[in-house]
Amino acid sequence: MKKVKHSRTVASKRPARAVSKHGLASGKNPAGTNPKRVRAILAKLDEAYPAVTCALVHDNPFQLLIATILSAQCTDVRVNQVTSSLFQKYTKAEDFAYANPRELEAEIRPTGFFRSKTKSIQGASRQIIEEFGGEVPRTMERLLTLPGVARKTANVVLGTAFGISSGIVVDTHVQRLAGRLDLSRNTDAKKIEQDLMTIIPKDKWILFAHQLIWHGRRVCQARKPRCMECNLERICYSHDKTI
């Protein structure tokens, strides 16, 4: 009598793919980064926001630096309200550097975290005077040595004030939309920036960031995206669409 070999199912050893907070499977190469799809996204953003720029009101690179430091954990609208009078009282780096800290704290209090922001602003102002001849540095490496300046702030200043494409601004809006559009499956801002820099043409880095920020404020809002008004709706497959 022949022995019958019974087959048995062997469980796959392949680990299940993690799912991001956006409801998309994680991985190094999201489907959304297909070059054709990326070009379509850029074209739609160009249609909706052909010439947007930074919403922070400023007259020179130094004012933009101060405003960007103030914008941490604060809306641009509130920052603009504060700087409308702040920049009339403090007109140059020396004014900020050697101001009475308590007075400066009172001026910027509405932006939140006013004590730490005062230290950053005064420290950055002194360093600009003492090390950079009173001029805001034009390189990422030097900007990052200033107190209160990380890559986001440096990218804002370099891109908006000097037209230098050294990276892509990743704020909360860019972070959210990069996930919803499946352009990145990372949650860390630095990793998201690196992901975007590999798929977005360098000559679009500055405008692209501004476009996502404006789109995030006006349409693709955090709690309730206005998908019916979005010209990207047909190519977006985020799990939290409101349609």
Side-chain angles (χ1 to χ4, degrees):
M1 182 175 181
K2 293 182 179 180
K3 294 183 179 180
V4 178
K5 293 183 179 180
H6 296 282
S7 63
R8 61 178 181 177
T9 302
V10 181
S12 172
K13 295 182 179 180
R14 181 182 298 175
R17 297 180 70 186
V19 176
S20 74
K21 67 178 181 180
H22 303 290
L24 303 169
S26 62
K28 292 184 177 180
N29 299 302
T33 61
N34 176 282
K36 183 177 180 180
R37 183 173 183 270
V38 172
R39 287 194 298 270
I41 289 173
L42 293 177
K44 290 294 185 182
L45 289 173
D46 285 344
E47 288 178 9
Y49 314 99
V52 291
T53 187
C54 182
L56 294 170
V57 177
H58 61 283
D59 290 329
N60 54 60
F62 180 73
Q63 287 187 355
L64 178 59
L65 172 65
I66 300 303
T68 308
I69 292 174
L70 291 175
S71 71
Q73 303 298 312
C74 183
T75 66
D76 289 352
V77 172
R78 178 60 59 84
V79 171
N80 289 336
Q81 291 172 346
V82 169
T83 57
S84 63
S85 59
L86 183 72
F87 290 154
Q88 292 181 22
K89 183 175 182 178
Y90 303 86
T91 61
K92 53 187 182 298
E94 288 79 3
D95 295 336
F96 283 98
Y98 308 120
N100 181 311
R102 297 294 174 265
E103 292 183 5
L104 184 54
E105 287 177 4
E107 295 279 358
I108 67 172
R109 189 184 186 97
T111 68
F113 302 96
F114 56 92
R115 291 191 180 89
S116 61
K117 288 180 181 180
T118 294
K119 290 180 181 178
S120 294
I121 289 172
Q122 294 201 290
S125 299
R126 285 193 292 268
Q127 191 170 332
I128 286 173
I129 295 168
E130 296 167 4
E131 296 184 23
F132 302 119
E135 299 291 331
V136 175
R138 296 187 177 217
T139 67
M140 176 66 72
E141 292 73 22
R142 290 185 175 183
L143 277 170
L144 291 178
T145 67
L146 299 177
V149 176
R151 279 197 64 89
K152 187 194 84 170
T153 298
N155 277 325
V156 170
V157 173
L158 290 172
T160 300
F162 302 121
I164 298 173
S165 299
S166 60
I168 295 177
V169 174
V170 177
D171 71 348
T172 55
H173 298 292
V174 175
Q175 184 173 4
R176 180 175 70 256
L177 269 64
R180 281 180 173 170
L181 290 172
D182 201 19
L183 298 178
S184 173
R185 289 172 181 170
N186 282 301
T187 56
D188 176 76
K190 290 182 180 179
K191 292 180 179 179
I192 292 172
E193 182 185 5
Q194 292 302 313
D195 289 342
L196 295 176
M197 288 167 65
T198 63
I199 61 174
I200 305 300
K202 189 173 183 178
D203 62 353
K204 301 282 286 186
W205 287 357
I206 298 172
L207 179 60
F208 172 76
H210 290 315
Q211 289 172 330
L212 283 195
I213 291 169
W214 279 82
H215 193 62
R217 288 182 182 139
R218 294 186 171 189
V219 180
C220 196
Q221 297 162 350
R223 294 187 178 181
K224 192 175 181 181
R226 300 162 69 176
C227 298
M228 292 296 291
E229 302 174 27
C230 180
N231 70 340
L232 291 165
E233 188 274 324
R234 287 179 177 268
I235 53 178
C236 175
Y237 45 81
S238 176
H239 80 288
D240 56 354
K241 289 174 67 172
T242 57
I243 294 178

